Amino acid sequence: MSDQEQHKVETEEEETEVAASDEEEQTEDEVAEEAASGINDDDDDDEEEESPIDPQDTLKEACGQTASCLYMKSMLDACETRVTSNPKTKEDCSQELLQFVNCVDKCVSTQLFYHLK
């Protein structure tokens, strides 16, 4: 293949890539506009449906904000502050972390199965 033919092929490939990226940008812009305006195109079967929200994640966030778990979280934060302020310390915050996670898990376990279908 001559240099001119090779250059022509490379130029055509670049133009194809640019055109494809322009189409992708337009599609992303359109999706962003639809999401912002609340418009949902139900006619498009190619799009995947959004996966449902996991109730366990929602409950973990809510349980992490309860009074008893907030106390455990404050103990964990205090430990992390103490450990990061002293680089020579051998202390870690594993006990505080386990207590916080245990608190959240106990709270979630009492409510999770009521949210499952």
Side-chain angles (χ1 to χ4, degrees):
M1 189 183 301
S2 71
D3 289 338
Q4 289 178 343
E5 290 174 343
Q6 185 176 2
H7 179 68
K8 184 178 179 181
V9 169
E10 289 175 357
T11 305
E12 289 174 356
E13 289 176 356
E14 289 175 3
E15 289 174 358
T16 305
E17 289 175 5
V18 169
S21 67
D22 288 343
E23 290 176 8
E24 288 176 8
E25 288 177 11
Q26 291 172 347
T27 303
E28 290 174 3
D29 291 341
E30 291 171 357
V31 170
E33 288 175 14
E34 288 177 3
S37 65
I39 297 173
N40 188 3
D41 186 12
D42 291 336
D43 296 336
D44 220 0
D45 293 335
D46 296 336
E47 293 181 20
E48 294 181 22
E49 293 184 22
E50 291 184 25
S51 60
I53 297 172
D54 186 1
Q56 184 176 8
D57 294 337
T58 307
L59 286 173
K60 281 182 179 181
E61 290 176 19
C63 286
Q65 300 301 317
T66 61
S68 59
C69 292
L70 280 176
Y71 174 74
M72 297 295 174
K73 177 69 173 155
S74 68
M75 297 298 288
L76 176 60
D77 292 340
C79 179
E80 288 177 348
T81 303
R82 191 171 58 249
V83 169
T84 56
S85 67
N86 186 2
K88 295 181 181 180
T89 188
K90 293 182 180 181
E91 178 185 15
D92 64 3
C93 300
S94 60
Q95 184 66 35
E96 288 82 357
L97 177 62
L98 289 173
Q99 289 173 345
F100 174 68
V101 170
N102 187 35
C103 179
V104 172
D105 285 346
K106 281 184 179 179
C107 175
V108 169
S109 68
T110 62
Q111 302 174 25
L112 180 61
F113 290 102
Y114 295 113
H115 295 278
L116 298 178
K117 292 182 181 179

